[in-house]
Every structure is written in C-alpha cells, then in structure tokens.
Amino acid sequence: MRKLAVDVVVIGGGSTGAGVVRDVAMRGFSTVLVERADLGQGTTGRFHGLLHSGGRYVVSDPESARECASENEILTRIQASAIESTGGYFVTCPGDDPTFADKFLAGAADTGVWAREVSVAEALRNEPRLNPGISRAIEVRDGTVDGWKLVWGAANSARNYGAQILTYHRVTKIETEAGKVTAVRCTNLRSGDEVLIECDFVLNCAGPWAGQIAAMAGAHPVEVVPGRGIMIAMNHRLVNRVINRCIYPADGDILVPAHTVSIIGTTDVKVDDPDNLAIEAGEVQQMLDAGEVLIPGFRNSRALHAWAGARPLIKDDRVAASDTRHMSRGMAVIDHTTRDGLDGMLTIGGGKLTTYRLMAEHIVDAMCEKRGEHRDCRTAAEPVPGSESGRTHLVSDRLHDREHDRFDEQIICECELMSRKMFTDALASQPAGSFDDLRRQLRLGMGPCQGGFCSVRATGIALDAGHLDSERANGLLRLFLKNRWIGLWPILYGDQVRQTALDNWIFQGTLDIEHLPQPTSEVAL
Ligand SMILES: Cc1cc2nc3c(=O)[nH]c(=O)nc-3n(C[C@H](O)[C@H](O)[C@H](O)COP(=O)(O)OP(=O)(O)OC[C@H]3O[C@@H](n4cnc5c(N)ncnc54)[C@H](O)[C@@H]3O)c2cc1C
C-alpha cells in the first residue's frame, strides 16, 4: 500500500475541488486532491457553459445574483483563457409577460448586476436569428466558460504551489479516531493499488456525491438532492451572445454559444442516483420546443449531442425535496463538528461553476477558523497559469493558430481544427490517457461529425507514432465511439440520422470496428 501524509485532503476534482485545492495550496498547506475519474468529469463536464452575469437570478435569488456579478469579473481576470466574453441578452418572447423586464431592471439595479435595455431593432441586428416577435431586450455581461479549461487552470496553479492531484483514484473510506478524521483511503483505479493518505483535514467537494463521501466518515446523512438537467448541442453558433428568456427561471430558457456549437438547456428534475442520468425523449422535445421560441426554425438545425448533469443542491426546508428548480443555488458549508461531533471535515454543496472560486474561499476560511489560524485568501488576485495575459478566448483562436501552421501541419479534426501535432503532443504527455481524456483537452470528436472522421484517423496516428499498441488502440477507439453514441441516440432525427448512417457505414461497413479483436485487459473507465 502506498502511503502519503498531508495537511489537507480535498475530495472531488470538479470546479469546486479544483478551486479548493488551489486555495489550500496558496495558503501554504500541504495538500492532495483525489478524483475518481479525470478532472472535470462530473457535473463540471456536464453543465451548460454559461458564465453567469447574475442576470438569471436578479429577481429569483438576489444573493446569488450579487455573487455571480462579482465572480464573473474576477474570473474574467484570473481565468481569461477559459472564458469567452460574449455578452448576453434577456429577451421577452411572444407570450412572455413584458412587465417582467421591469422587475428584471429593478432587480439588476438592486443587486449591482450590469444591465441595459436596448431596442428590439438593435438586438435583432446583432442576433439576426432571434425571434422577430420579441418585444423587449436587455443586454447583460453573460459570457461562456470552458469548464475543463477552468479546472485545469486551477489545478495547474495548485500544482505550482506544491499540491498533488490524484486522478482515477476513488475514495473508499475516511478513517476516524476519537471523533477526528485521521486519513483517507482510496484505490488507484488504473493499477488497483490501495493508497492511504494521512491528514488533519478533509474538505468534501464531491458535488452530488458529497452525501456518499460524508457517509464514509460516519456522518449523519447529508441531504444533497441531485437535480438532473439535460442539454443539447446544436450544430454551429446559432447566436453569438448568450440568449436568455426574460422570465422567472424555467426549463429550456437559455441558449449558450460555446466554441463552435450552441447549447440549449436545461431541465431540472430530482433524481436519486447522480451516476444514472437517463435522458428522456420528452425532455429532448421540450428543449427543441423551447429553442424554437427563441430562434424560429431551431428544429431545422442539427442536434449534435445530448448530455445530462446533476446539480449538487442542498435541501432547503422552504421547498419540497422534489422541486429542485426552486431550491437555492446558493452555496452551503456543512460543519461536521457541530453537526456530527466529527472534527477535521467540512462538506460544501450548492453554488455554481461561476462561483467556484468564492465557494473555495468560504470553505478554506472555515477550515482556517477551525484550525485557529488566519491565512489570507489570494485566489482573486493571481491569474492561473496560461491566463496571465488577461486575454479572453475567441472562437477564432484555432483558426488563427492554423493560419500559422497550415503548410506544415495536418488537420486531423476538421470540425474543431485540431492538428496532428496537438494530438501527438497530448498523447505523449499522457501515455495512460484515454481518447476521452484527450477529447476534453482537444475537442476531438466534439464537432458536427461526432468523431466519424477524426476518431479513426487519430487511432491510426497513435499507432503510427508508436504511442499505443494495436490492442490498446482498438480498445480506446471502441470505448470512445461507445461514449459518443451515448450522447447521440437520444437526439437521432433529421440530418443527424444521415450523419450517423454515414458514420456507421465508415465504422462498420468499411472498418468493421465491431469485430476488432476484443482487448484482453479492460480499457473502460
Ligand atoms: C444541467 C446543469 C447545468 C448547469 N449550468 C451551469 C452554468 O451554465 N453555469 C454555471 O455557473 N453553473 C452551472 N451549473 C452548476 C455547475 O455545473 C455545478 O455547480 C458545478 O459544476 C459543481 O461542481 P462540483 O465540483 O461541486 O461537482 P462535480 O463537478 O460533480 O465534482 C464532484 C467530483 O467528485 C468526484 N467523486 C465522486 N465520488 C468520488 C469518490 N468516491 N472518490 C473520488 N472522487 C469522487 C466526481 O467524480 C466528480 O468529479 C449547472 C449544473 C447542471 C447540473
């Protein structure tokens, strides 16, 4: 068994855990983050991509609105490379109550959320696909954020401050002695080895799984109510700004332009198991109908991929446990000393990706207070590695890069302009990585063909470059295509059926991938 000893163990490698491990390390504690999969593979990799301006909450949740407004400014400064400052509109669609826009403007003024009403003509000039029947439009400072880039930025910053990041390690037990946490046990899922991490403190940042982690320490049940939401990526950027309906938060009322696609979402349904988030046919139709309200003809554009995530909502006594839409989005830190008589552990839940840095500041402040020491939080002041220039991401960045290397470099993924070198460099730096790990970094297979062309090219290149043997390459390709398929089958209609038929012919008809030799060792994770 491998043994480590640190001051603080952070459990969960989503945005919250990454923000927390960065903050802990920057305050001078020795720390290790433990994540059972890759970083950002939980809710953080399955969200809507919106960097909130606070506009969404000015009427329904003023406290969250204030937090979002201030964190939006901070993140745009310290995590610039993960953010695209698109701006956004809240629009009153036909049938929506036009007086809600007045409540919105009053709420924005009260909460300090920047908002400005613009003429319908200006909104339609800037976003020509918008419903021409809109009666009001309010401009806000919404943006879009790449959750994976945000998490890696925070994790790399933490590493620079001495933190260790253990991915593909599952926490199995939290050891306690005389009412105090003493160690965390986990299993390395790639090697099967057991790891024991002795520590003074555990910060439980496991999102919708936080209740399971708290139970491993013997705490009373933590009521995290997973609220499942589905999202659908549509072909192309149908809009260039984030488009919100100017109504009380509801299902399918936001369209987010993210990289080369647009994402419509989302729903909010209470579920029991955050590991089992099935997408129902009715929800897909609901999203397409909602898109049609914002963009007439929405259904004619091609749906590329659907996915679901579970909000880690903390149960609020004021609303029924089944009504996740109206549970507070606010963050909550649970003190296990006062609650369970267990020293050395705090749990955090709720919040949003936009407020991840502030969540980290709150829980680490609480930990310092319990340890009886004061150490300043410096995360708002210092940019993460790669964001020092303060330049935010532009959708044209990859095109710009390819302008420079187009004569020397082969393009492997035309949809996302991923070059051969980008792929082989990433493979060389992560020999144990799966194609899905690389997808999150390079956007391999995330464009209109959903891997139809690039996945087999990438497999051939990996073999050719000697990074993989044929057995592992076959296994990784099959796993990658299986995972792409999970997000494809719920939205098979119209042009996507034709694309899928073509892909299927390439995979099965030409390459007979189904009958490739089965790997002797399991590559699935
Ligand atoms: C549908 C939907 C849309 C959303 N849209 C937005 C949006 O547009 N903007 C926004 O700001 N916020 C949005 N949110 C909220 C935001 O995504 C979440 O608040 C945030 O990602 C939560 O991050 P987290 O780190 O707390 O949880 P997670 O990202 O879920 O991280 C928890 C981690 O714990 C790990 N874990 C679990 N069990 C173990 C174990 N035993 N051992 C080790 N690790 C373990 C998991 O693998 C996971 O990676 C959305 C949420 C949902 C569900």
Side-chain angles (χ1 to χ4, degrees):
M1 180 192 293
R2 188 178 166 208
K3 280 195 178 176
L4 297 169
V6 291
D7 297 328
V8 184
V9 175
V10 178
I11 301 176
S15 55
T16 311
V20 169
V21 77
R22 174 178 191 236
D23 197 334
V24 168
M26 284 177 82
R27 295 197 208 198
F29 296 104
S30 62
T31 182
V32 56
L33 178 145
V34 187
E35 163 58 50
R36 66 178 182 171
D38 194 9
L39 292 179
Q41 221 180 311
T43 319
T44 300
R46 329 194 113 258
F47 82 129
H48 204 162
L50 168 59
L51 181 72
H52 285 279
S53 59
R56 182 164 176 78
Y57 303 111
V58 288
V59 177
S60 64
D61 189 348
E63 190 50 37
S64 288
R66 280 188 198 94
E67 288 172 358
C68 286
S70 117
E71 287 302 304
N72 179 309
E73 262 181 44
I74 294 171
L75 294 193
T76 305
R77 208 171 52 236
I78 65 161
Q79 297 241 255
S81 66
I83 287 164
E84 190 183 348
S85 296
T86 57
Y89 284 145
F90 277 76
V91 294
T92 307
C93 293
D96 293 343
D97 172 10
T99 64
F100 189 84
D102 298 321
K103 290 184 201 144
F104 184 99
L105 289 167
D110 284 350
T111 51
V113 171
W114 187 92
R116 170 179 84 110
E117 182 152 18
V118 298
S119 68
V120 167
E122 180 178 336
L124 292 176
R125 202 166 46 245
N126 289 331
E127 293 295 348
R129 286 199 178 90
L130 258 182
N131 189 331
I134 59 169
S135 55
R136 297 183 75 172
I138 297 168
E139 188 184 354
V140 293
R141 290 187 175 153
D142 281 344
T144 69
V145 51
D146 183 318
W148 295 309
K149 277 196 189 168
L150 176 130
V151 166
W152 300 320
N156 288 337
S157 168
R159 281 194 190 99
N160 288 350
Y161 279 94
Q164 293 181 67
I165 311 280
L166 300 182
T167 52
Y168 294 105
H169 281 64
R170 180 194 290 276
V171 172
T172 51
K173 177 113 185 65
I174 297 175
E175 303 283 356
T176 61
E177 216 178 284
K180 179 162 184 356
V181 166
T182 55
V184 171
R185 270 181 198 278
C186 46
T187 307
N188 179 336
L189 298 177
R190 285 192 162 138
S191 66
D193 293 344
E194 295 299 309
V195 183
L196 182 75
I197 314 172
E198 288 168 354
C199 60
D200 297 336
F201 233 98
V202 167
L203 298 177
N204 174 9
C205 308
W209 296 272
Q212 294 176 14
I213 299 293
M216 288 180 196
H220 291 110
V222 169
E223 291 193 79
V224 184
V225 182
R228 184 198 62 207
I230 78 152
M231 285 132 296
I232 303 176
M234 309 300 287
N235 204 3
H236 304 308
R237 278 165 78 108
L238 298 170
V239 287
N240 282 312
R241 289 164 185 71
V242 177
I243 305 296
N244 306 259
R245 260 171 88 178
C246 195
I247 53 176
Y248 205 79
D251 288 353
D253 55 352
I254 311 179
L255 185 62
V256 178
H259 294 280
T260 54
V261 300
S262 322
I263 306 171
I264 184 82
T266 168
T267 50
D268 203 337
V269 180
K270 177 191 174 292
V271 290
D272 297 322
D273 178 6
D275 282 311
N276 186 6
L277 303 175
I279 296 178
E280 315 222 334
E283 284 177 297
V284 171
Q285 294 310 318
Q286 191 190 355
M287 289 302 100
L288 298 177
D289 287 344
E292 200 70 34
V293 175
L294 292 168
I295 309 281
F298 188 83
R299 277 176 174 277
N300 298 335
S301 64
R302 178 145 65 101
L304 296 180
H305 203 88
W307 65 94
R311 296 173 183 82
L313 303 176
I314 298 286
K315 188 171 171 325
D316 181 337
D317 288 341
R318 290 165 302 172
V319 288
S322 53
D323 180 12
T324 47
R325 166 74 64 209
H326 297 110
M327 264 183 198
S328 170
R329 264 51 179 163
M331 58 190 86
V333 175
I334 297 173
D335 176 354
H336 292 283
T337 309
T338 48
R339 187 175 176 273
D340 306 298
L342 177 65
D343 282 341
M345 183 159 110
L346 295 167
T347 290
I348 189 158
K352 281 164 285 297
L353 184 128
T354 305
T355 56
Y356 92 98
R357 191 211 61 84
L358 184 64
M359 293 173 73
E361 181 174 339
H362 283 327
I363 193 171
V364 183
D365 277 352
M367 179 187 80
C368 288
E369 199 182 310
K370 295 193 100 27
R371 296 171 68 108
E373 49 188 320
H374 180 83
R375 301 192 191 189
D376 284 333
C377 173
R378 296 183 295 115
T379 52
E382 191 175 303
V384 305
S387 288
E388 295 86 350
S389 73
R391 181 187 169 282
T392 49
H393 175 77
L394 292 175
V395 68
S396 53
D397 278 353
R398 280 206 174 167
L399 192 58
H400 176 266
D401 294 345
R402 293 298 78 77
E403 286 290 336
H404 292 286
D405 59 22
R406 71 186 191 281
F407 293 123
D408 319 304
E409 267 300 311
Q410 220 179 339
I411 292 179
I412 307 306
C413 168
E414 286 91 349
C415 308
E416 297 289 342
L417 294 179
M418 184 197 78
S419 71
R420 182 179 185 124
K421 185 167 182 325
M422 287 165 74
F423 180 67
T424 49
D425 284 355
L427 254 181
S429 66
Q430 300 146 71
S434 70
F435 288 168
D436 277 296
D437 295 339
L438 301 179
R439 171 180 65 79
R440 286 183 279 276
Q441 293 160 40
L442 304 171
R443 298 188 61 77
L444 169 76
M446 288 179 77
C449 87
Q450 288 291 298
F453 297 92
C454 56
S455 59
V456 283
R457 276 187 200 141
T459 311
I461 288 166
L463 272 168
D464 187 43
H467 291 291
L468 304 175
D469 61 31
S470 58
E471 182 175 309
R472 182 162 164 78
N474 288 345
L476 289 181
L477 175 64
R478 288 160 67 119
L479 176 64
F480 182 81
L481 296 179
K482 188 181 102 192
N483 286 341
R484 289 285 83 193
W485 177 244
I486 290 171
L488 269 173
W489 72 263
I491 39 105
L492 278 186
Y493 74 94
D495 282 342
Q496 190 56 35
V497 179
R498 297 164 71 180
Q499 174 73 52
T500 306
L502 171 64
D503 290 348
N504 195 48
W505 181 250
I506 295 172
F507 298 147
Q508 310 309 346
T510 308
L511 301 171
D512 200 17
I513 286 174
E514 210 163 272
H515 298 105
L516 286 174
Q518 293 281 347
T520 46
S521 60
E522 188 55 79
V523 290
L525 267 180

